[in-house]
């Protein structure tokens, strides 16, 4: 069998012929396939061992083809799982190598990555090797990975990795982005928002940071580049930068807590309120939530009445005071 194929060329030819013939004796297959009798017998035995043919004895053996998805599906699934496990092992070993190298050689403290695909792959590998926490600065117009494409986040969250993400307000107003953010929150992501962010940034396990080197006004000029930064004072500065912005950012929440339930807010109102406090305009809120601006106004009026205020500023204050957001 060549290149790890499920069937070699002769097995595949014999199976296809059996499918066309419906049933055949070894001598008939040998004639149609133009094979010596002993080779036809051998290939049929291999197909039978792989569960691709069944044999009945009616004045000698008669072979019939069986569905390939049943016989080969399990084998294919095992190979896919093995390849995925091998890829994760390579990613983990690569991270260990880079960590060790950075301790030996200061030149390894900063690595430059060129190209959107290379950046995407590094972000994928870092998330899949994460063990404790991932921090994000998510600016509008992503360079390498739109939020909807970041499926690695769900796997990391499911194995207990903490995600804290700060989204730039303009990103929340981009069509479809709120759905992606809401999905992440439903998996356990902690999301906040600010009017603007200074840089694009990802930090994994407080040990490795990825920071694009291309300014927004230079996007589209050549390949995007990013710095992968290991442990050191530069990483410490980036961690401090994230934490300072996290403290100032407005939470984006969807799920009710006990206080909100007692106060009478449902999940959709809680989400709407967090967007309002974040400064997202009514039109964008309505568009993202798939409701009319009149419905947005009606829900805000209900929450203002519930909070005992008659202005949105008062509602924001009471929401923070009462723990609604």
């Amino acid at each position: 069998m060549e290149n790890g194929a499920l069937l070699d060329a002769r097995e595949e030819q014999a199976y296809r012929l059996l499918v066309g013939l419906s049933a055949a004796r070894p001598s008939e297959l040998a004639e149609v396939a133009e094979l010596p009798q002993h080779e036809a017998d051998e290939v049929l035995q291999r197909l039978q061992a792989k569960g691709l043919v069944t044999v009945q004895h009616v004045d000698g053996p008669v072979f019939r083809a069986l569905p390939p998805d049943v016989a080969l599906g399990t084998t294919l699934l095992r190979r896919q799982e093995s390849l995925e496990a091998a890829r994760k092992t390579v990613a983990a070993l690569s991270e260990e190598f880079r960590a060790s190298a950075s301790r030996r050689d200061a030149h390894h403290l900063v690595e430059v990555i060129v190209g959107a695909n290379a950046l995407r792959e590094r972000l994928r590998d870092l998330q899949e090797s994460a063990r404790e926490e991932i921090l994000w600065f998510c600016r509008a117009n992503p360079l390498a990975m739109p939020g909807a494409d970041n499926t690695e986040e769900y796997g990391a969250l499911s194995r207990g990795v903490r995600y804290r993400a700060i989204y730039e307000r303009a990103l929340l107003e981009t069509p479809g982005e709120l759905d992606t953010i809401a999905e992440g929150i439903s998996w356990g992501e902690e999301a906040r928002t600010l009017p603007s962010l200074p840089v694009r940034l990802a930090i994994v396990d407080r040990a490795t940071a990825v920071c694009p080197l291309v300014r927004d006004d230079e996007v589209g000029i050549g390949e995007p580049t990013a710095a992968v930064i290991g442990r050191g004072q530069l990483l410490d500065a980036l961690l401090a930068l994230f934490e300072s912005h996290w403290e100032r950012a407005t939470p984006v929440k969807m799920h009710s807590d006990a206080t909100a339930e007692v106060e009478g807010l449902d999940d959709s109102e809680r989400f709407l309120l967090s967007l309002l406090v974040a400064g997202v305009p009514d039109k964008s809120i309505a568009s993202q939530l798939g409701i009319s601006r009149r419905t947005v106004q009606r829900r805000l009026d209900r929450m203002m009445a519930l909070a005992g205020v008659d202005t949105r500023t008062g509602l924001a204050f009471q929401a923070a005071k009462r723990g609604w957001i």
Side-chain angles (χ1 to χ4, degrees):
M1 190 178 302
E2 299 177 358
N3 300 324
L6 296 175
L7 298 176
D8 64 28
R10 187 164 294 175
E11 290 169 347
E12 182 176 346
Q13 178 197 26
Y15 180 78
R16 289 177 182 273
L17 290 173
L18 273 180
V19 170
L21 294 170
S22 180
R25 299 179 185 279
S27 59
E28 294 170 335
L29 179 65
E31 180 181 355
V32 175
E34 298 180 349
L35 291 174
Q37 183 65 51
H38 73 278
E39 291 187 14
D41 291 336
E42 181 184 343
V43 75
L44 284 169
Q45 289 174 5
R46 295 205 303 268
L47 290 174
Q48 185 179 7
K50 292 181 177 181
L52 286 168
V53 300
T54 184
V55 60
Q56 295 177 327
H57 292 275
V58 182
D59 296 329
V62 178
F63 290 85
R64 295 179 183 275
L66 293 174
D69 53 343
V70 175
L72 300 181
T74 301
T75 301
L76 185 60
L77 179 60
R78 287 198 192 100
R79 290 192 182 185
Q80 289 174 332
E81 291 173 345
S82 178
L83 285 172
E84 180 63 16
R87 195 180 68 77
K88 289 181 179 180
T89 299
V90 171
L93 291 174
S94 297
E95 285 305 307
E96 289 184 21
F97 173 82
R98 282 189 285 269
S100 177
S102 67
R103 289 192 294 269
R104 298 192 307 268
D105 188 347
H107 292 295
H108 288 278
L109 289 175
V110 177
E111 173 191 357
V112 176
I113 299 176
V114 180
N117 290 336
L119 177 55
R120 174 71 180 91
E121 286 303 310
R122 180 57 64 85
L123 289 170
R124 181 211 299 267
D125 291 341
L126 285 171
Q127 289 183 93
E128 291 185 343
S129 64
R131 297 180 181 180
E132 297 179 3
E133 183 181 51
I134 296 178
L135 313 175
W136 287 100
F137 272 173
C138 302
R139 300 188 70 184
N141 305 314
L143 292 179
M145 184 172 59
D149 293 345
N150 187 23
T151 55
E152 290 78 31
E153 174 179 355
Y154 307 138
L157 284 165
S158 66
R159 65 176 187 271
V161 177
R162 184 187 184 192
Y163 266 73
R164 288 193 287 155
I166 304 178
Y167 295 94
E168 204 166 49
R169 183 186 298 165
L171 186 63
L172 272 63
E173 299 178 31
T174 302
E177 282 296 334
L178 271 182
D179 292 337
T180 300
I181 295 170
E183 179 71 11
I185 294 172
S186 71
W187 280 78
E189 174 189 297
E190 299 172 48
R192 295 188 179 185
T193 183
L194 282 171
S196 63
L197 291 170
V199 293
R200 306 172 196 276
L201 180 65
I203 304 177
V204 178
D205 288 341
R206 310 183 82 81
T208 306
V210 180
C211 182
L213 300 174
V214 180
R215 291 172 19 187
D216 281 2
D217 58 4
E218 295 175 347
V219 171
I221 303 175
E223 289 280 355
T225 58
V228 180
I229 302 161
R231 293 184 186 274
Q233 290 189 339
L234 180 55
L235 178 61
D236 292 343
L238 292 174
L239 284 166
L241 179 69
F242 179 89
E243 296 296 351
S244 67
H245 281 70
W246 180 259
E247 290 299 319
R248 295 190 288 110
T250 301
V252 179
K253 294 188 178 181
M254 290 181 56
H255 304 293
S256 299
D257 58 15
T259 301
E261 289 174 358
V262 170
E263 297 278 8
L265 290 184
D266 61 28
D267 286 351
S268 63
E269 289 174 326
R270 185 177 173 83
F271 193 30
L272 188 158
L273 183 57
S274 66
L275 296 177
L276 171 73
V277 174
V280 179
D282 287 8
K283 181 179 180 180
S284 296
I285 294 175
S287 175
Q288 293 291 336
L289 299 183
I291 58 179
S292 67
R293 294 177 68 176
R294 184 183 297 274
T295 300
V296 172
Q297 180 63 57
R298 186 169 61 250
R299 291 183 180 180
L300 289 174
D301 288 343
R302 194 188 88 81
M303 285 187 281
M304 284 191 286
L306 192 63
V309 298
D310 56 6
T311 66
R312 294 188 178 191
T313 302
L315 174 60
F317 175 80
Q318 287 296 324
K321 182 179 179 181
R322 299 179 184 214
W324 289 357
I325 57 174

